[in-house]
Amino acid sequence: GPKVLQIPSHQIIDMGQMVTLNCDPVSNHLYFYWYKQILGQQMEFLVNFYNGKVMEKSKLFKDQFSVERPDGSYFTLKIQPTALEDSAVYFCASSLRKSGNTLYFGEGSRLIVV
Amino acid sequence: GEKVEQHESTLSVREGDSAVINCTYTDTASSYFPWYKQEAGKSLHFVIDIRSNVDRKQSQRLIVLLDKKAKRFSLHITATQPEDSAIYFCAARRNYNQGKLIFGQGTKLSIKP
């Protein structure tokens, strides 16, 4: 089936450094999402993105977070600076349309901030 | 804000029996309710969904029931098999104009031989 690819699969980073998580969504999809999952439990919505703009974001999407998709390439989540509580698995997802459509998730990027 | 509560954090059933996972939601404007399965160390995969215009949907061994009055929906897995073992997440989405899914906390389903 359709695949969402995420790079890196895992990364260890010093607190205060910057990290960029990359997502290659399904090729014809138009809506992109980031979710955060801690300890294999709750999937928390961070942000969704369409047509070059953030459409919705949660309170977990702190000022240190930013997303972009320059020139239709990777959809990225940047955290600058990172904090210890940013340690989690970040899942990217994409869908063809906003409503009534399945979200396809990537395998996740495990981020460990030390 | 919107919340989705998943009542069972773990569930263990014998192979061949049925498993039922229950969820409730708070936002009366929710209209779309998908279920996702996450196997150990893997990503989430869509399994089945239901929209608010129906109260039951079946796909092979999976049945989803929706009770809009009670703001409750459930996933029934019949004739369980070992490969059904995973974490199952329910989710809800608000109205037509909002894209984000709000997930429940997940239920770890174990199928015993």
Side-chain angles (χ1 to χ4, degrees):
Chain A
K3 278 205 177 291
V4 174
L5 300 175
Q6 287 187 241
I7 301 165
S9 58
H10 60 275
Q11 186 157 0
I12 301 173
I13 196 163
D14 290 327
M15 183 175 64
Q17 297 293 303
M18 181 195 80
V19 68
T20 300
L21 305 179
N22 300 288
C23 172
D24 187 10
V26 178
S27 60
N28 61 339
H29 283 187
L30 302 174
Y31 293 87
F32 313 112
Y33 308 79
W34 283 102
Y35 280 81
K36 178 180 180 181
Q37 186 180 42
I38 295 178
L39 295 175
Q41 295 299 318
Q42 185 93 46
M43 289 281 290
E44 305 266 19
F45 170 78
L46 286 176
V47 66
N48 66 5
F49 189 87
Y50 168 72
N51 198 26
K53 289 195 287 264
V54 169
M55 302 298 288
E56 301 168 90
K57 59 184 181 180
S58 72
K59 55 180 185 271
L60 292 179
F61 194 78
K62 306 179 294 186
D63 291 343
Q64 300 90 316
F65 287 36
S66 62
V67 290
E68 63 175 357
R69 195 186 185 212
D71 302 322
S73 58
Y74 284 148
F75 174 52
T76 63
L77 173 66
K78 187 187 289 188
I79 310 174
Q80 181 178 26
T82 49
L84 294 176
E85 61 265 25
D86 297 330
S87 296
V89 181
Y90 291 84
F91 286 97
C92 172
S94 69
S95 68
L96 182 56
R97 289 184 287 273
K98 186 192 299 184
S99 68
N101 250 230
T102 303
L103 263 62
Y104 290 87
F105 283 83
E107 298 276 332
S109 292
R110 180 177 294 277
L111 176 66
I112 300 171
V113 182
V114 296
Chain B
E2 312 107 323
K3 263 190 139 183
V4 176
E5 300 278 352
Q6 206 160 333
H7 298 197
E8 301 87 2
S9 58
T10 61
L11 180 63
S12 181
V13 301
R14 205 165 291 281
E15 185 179 347
D17 289 350
S18 291
V20 182
I21 303 171
N22 297 287
C23 288
T24 53
Y25 59 96
T26 58
D27 188 347
T28 49
S30 296
S31 61
Y32 174 67
F33 307 91
W35 287 85
Y36 283 81
K37 176 182 180 182
Q38 185 179 32
E39 292 169 55
K42 304 255 178 180
S43 186
L44 277 74
H45 290 279
F46 170 82
V47 289
I48 192 170
D49 60 12
I50 190 166
R51 295 171 202 280
S52 58
N53 59 341
V54 297
D55 54 20
R56 185 183 191 277
K57 181 173 178 180
Q58 180 164 2
S59 173
Q60 297 180 318
R61 296 186 296 108
L62 303 178
I63 301 168
V64 183
L65 303 178
L66 173 63
D67 180 343
K68 290 191 291 289
K69 223 179 247 186
K71 289 189 279 193
R72 183 170 56 216
F73 58 115
S74 57
L75 173 68
H76 300 243
I77 308 173
T78 61
T80 51
Q81 300 168 2
E83 53 265 34
D84 295 329
S85 295
I87 300 175
Y88 288 81
F89 290 92
C90 62
R93 183 171 61 218
R94 227 178 163 195
N95 57 35
Y96 182 85
N97 289 322
Q98 292 206 2
K100 71 181 184 216
L101 287 175
I102 304 296
F103 282 88
Q105 299 93 325
T107 296
K108 185 172 182 177
L109 175 64
S110 302
I111 307 300
K112 297 181 300 207

